[in-house]
Amino acid sequence: MAAGTDTAHHTDLGSLAGDLYGPYREELVAARLLIPLGVRGLYARGGDFERVIERFDALVTEAGAPFAAEVMRFPPVFARAHYERLSHIRNFPDLMGSVHTFTGGEREHRDLLEIFDKHEDWTARLAPAAVMLVPAGCYPLYPTAEGTTLSAEGRRVDTEGFIFRHEPSDDPARMQIFRQREFVRLGTAEQALEHRNFWLEKGQELFKRVRVPVEAVVANDPFFGRGGKVQKAMQIEQVLKYELVTPICSREKPTAISSCNYHLDTFGSVFGIRTPDGEPAHTACVGFGLERIALALFRNHGLRLADWPSEVRDVLGLG
Amino acid sequence: MAAGTDTAHHTDLGSLAGDLYGPYREELVAARLLIPLGVRGLYARGGDFERVIERFDALVTEAGAPFAAEVMRFPPVFARAHYERLSHIRNFPDLMGSVHTFTGGEREHRDLLEIFDKHEDWTARLAPAAVMLVPAGCYPLYPTAEGTTLSAEGRRVDTEGFIFRHEPSDDPARMQIFRQREFVRLGTAEQALEHRNFWLEKGQELFKRVRVPVEAVVANDPFFGRGGKVQKAMQIEQVLKYELVTPICSREKPTAISSCNYHLDTFGSVFGIRTPDGEPAHTACVGFGLERIALALFRNHGLRLADWPSEVRDVLGLG
């Protein structure tokens, strides 16, 4: 934890063993930073929480400004047909969010309500809609570039959107739905790697400026099942993804608040995105998990914005 | 359309009969304001589109500032258990978004993938998650006040979130998922009605300032089926909901960009929210459909921000 960190306003992370999910969540709720919505890992965001997210988001915008990336803001759902071309259903089926709706007529509606009123499972009467919740920040982007050939400069895209992960948890940093700000690079392997490496450095610099101590580690995603172990080993061995981690509710299990990911030509191949030489494009992205970053800031500087160190307030433009 | 409206950059609404969904959508896409995501009514938002939303949102914040409302920002999903206590499944089942996920083990996963790889309906193997997509901006709010007794002043809450409506359409103003900014009032019938009436006036004033011509009409929601006709008649007769409408893609069928809704004691009764005298609280809300408002602004002032009238740019702080 950074020197000068205020611990008077919240549970002291250093003094406790084990996880602090419960106590820290209660403090966040008491401070009206998070408002529970009756499902584990689901919260409304209070005014100060949202303000911190907006201000950190603006800091990221500033850091990315020199690249003049194209801006795209994604809605929380994307095409089921695009989801079906990705490997998410193989690797993370337990995290998916499939959207279903009612497509029947009046008779089917009467049947639906009869089941509903008997408190039986009415959801079996629904049909899959053409959309799924977005499981990763950059997934909706690649299909929009389908069948294109990039220029020699490639592309840089600035994205943001809500990400859904079905993983009910008491850890306030493990929300079921949260915003991810990303910069995505499409181009050659060299361009993609350069992007990932640049942001790995730049991200550490940003967190240093707001006094959130981070450590860069090789990432270790929760691939599903026994087959997932092989995927996990491959991911680590190829050193494709780094995460910046910081203690939020636990020193032993620090939380990833940002990640830098090199996807090889996975998305370029699936969506036929090519470099000028006709090869599948390589892609990389940096993602900032905005809710987790806000939680890390409140963890390090206290639950009241007015008490934050003036240097941090200045960097974030908190006035 | 306001005097001085620039029509050089887009299809002239006045010169065409019938709907302009197709042509206007194509212009928005060509201008990179909307980026199609492969499903009818689903788009990424370009940089200028998002900027206009941010600026109008700030104007709403300014208009609401005197009331110092509590701020809550809702995620795009809320509790299924709360959905089940509302009448949405009776009145608008065709618009709902129910979230389903995979809850099986390794064997069930192998079965899922076998079905998936045969291009059969794999979604039947999913289970309902504890969440639903949010169908109306203020729905997630009331359960957070469950069982409370309001003070004599009641409560004012400033909310925003993504709303899902399953209604695939070629009308760019009929998106499947969009943001709604709301101010919600909880209190006595008088307080609720005063809130609705205040914002009905204030909303018209805001749109006048940004030169979007609106008309206030009694709303007419698309209740489902034959039974819905009764609901619709009741809604109109009780004059519960007003909408501010403006032509976007059609003069004959103008689009609602804001609504002012008095809910009587519906939510107060369902969630046991009471006024000091022990009666169920009455509620009212004003909602601003941010994507539709951006579309109305681009429709009236042209697709290029640089060409907008300087007065409008000034009011919105577009620099």
Side-chain angles (χ1 to χ4, degrees), chain B residues 192-210:
Chain B
L193 268 168
E194 185 191 27
H195 181 79
R196 188 197 61 181
N197 297 339
F198 170 85
W199 281 104
L200 184 57
E201 289 303 313
K202 180 60 86 178
Q204 292 178 79
E205 186 190 313
L206 285 183
F207 290 117
K208 196 170 180 182
R209 288 180 67 197
V210 296

Side-chain angles (χ1 to χ4, degrees), chain B residues 42-65:
Chain B
L42 195 65
Y43 307 91
R45 285 72 160 156
D48 280 352
F49 194 87
E50 195 67 13
R51 192 159 162 232
V52 166
I53 284 184
E54 274 169 23
R55 297 315 310 162
F56 189 86
D57 204 26
L59 203 63
V60 174
T61 299
E62 194 187 298

Side-chain angles (χ1 to χ4, degrees), chain A residues 12-27:
Chain A
D12 184 355
L13 193 62
S15 70
L16 277 160
D19 77 61
L20 294 176
Y21 301 162
Y24 191 45
R25 199 181 58 247
E26 277 165 38
E27 287 171 36

Side-chain angles (χ1 to χ4, degrees), chain A residues 36 56 68 72 80 101 113-114 135 151 165 169 172 181 215 232-233 239 246 253 271 289 303 319:
Chain A
F56 189 85
M72 287 193 203
R80 181 182 299 276
T101 193
L113 292 182
E114 200 180 309
S151 71
R165 289 187 193 155
S169 167
R181 173 76 182 274
E215 192 187 346
K232 198 181 279 192
V239 194
T246 190
K253 290 178 277 180
F271 294 104
L303 299 179

Side-chain angles (χ1 to χ4, degrees), chain B residues 49-169:
Chain B
F49 194 87
E50 195 67 13
R51 192 159 162 232
V52 166
I53 284 184
E54 274 169 23
R55 297 315 310 162
F56 189 86
D57 204 26
L59 203 63
V60 174
T61 299
E62 194 187 298
F67 303 109
E70 306 158 52
V71 176
M72 287 192 203
R73 296 291 174 256
F74 294 120
V77 296
F78 80 130
R80 181 182 299 277
H82 295 153
Y83 179 86
E84 290 178 336
R85 293 165 69 182
L86 299 165
S87 58
H88 191 269
I89 192 170
R90 299 179 198 284
N91 295 329
F92 310 102
D94 48 333
L95 303 183
M96 79 162 73
S98 174
V99 180
H100 298 219
T101 194
F102 176 74
T103 55
E106 298 220 27
R107 213 184 69 186
E108 292 79 12
H109 188 220
R110 278 194 301 275
D111 292 347
L112 176 76
L113 291 181
E114 198 180 309
I115 296 166
F116 177 80
D117 288 332
K118 283 195 281 189
H119 303 286
E120 291 172 1
D121 180 19
W122 56 273
T123 65
R125 300 300 176 105
L126 304 181
V131 295
M132 302 274 298
L133 282 157
V134 176
C138 57
Y139 280 12
L141 169 62
Y142 307 111
T144 69
E146 180 158 15
T148 58
T149 298
L150 304 172
S151 70
E153 290 75 36
R155 284 176 68 186
R156 296 177 186 270
V157 189
D158 165 356
T159 76
E160 190 168 321
F162 273 98
I163 308 305
F164 178 78
R165 288 186 193 156
H166 181 259
E167 42 176 1
S169 167

Side-chain angles (χ1 to χ4, degrees), chain A residues 21 25 41 43 169-175 248-249 253 255 295:
Chain A
Y21 301 162
R25 199 181 58 247
Y43 307 90
S169 167
D170 292 326
D171 179 357
R174 198 164 285 283
M175 295 188 185
I248 295 181
C249 288
K253 290 178 277 180
T255 299
L295 288 171

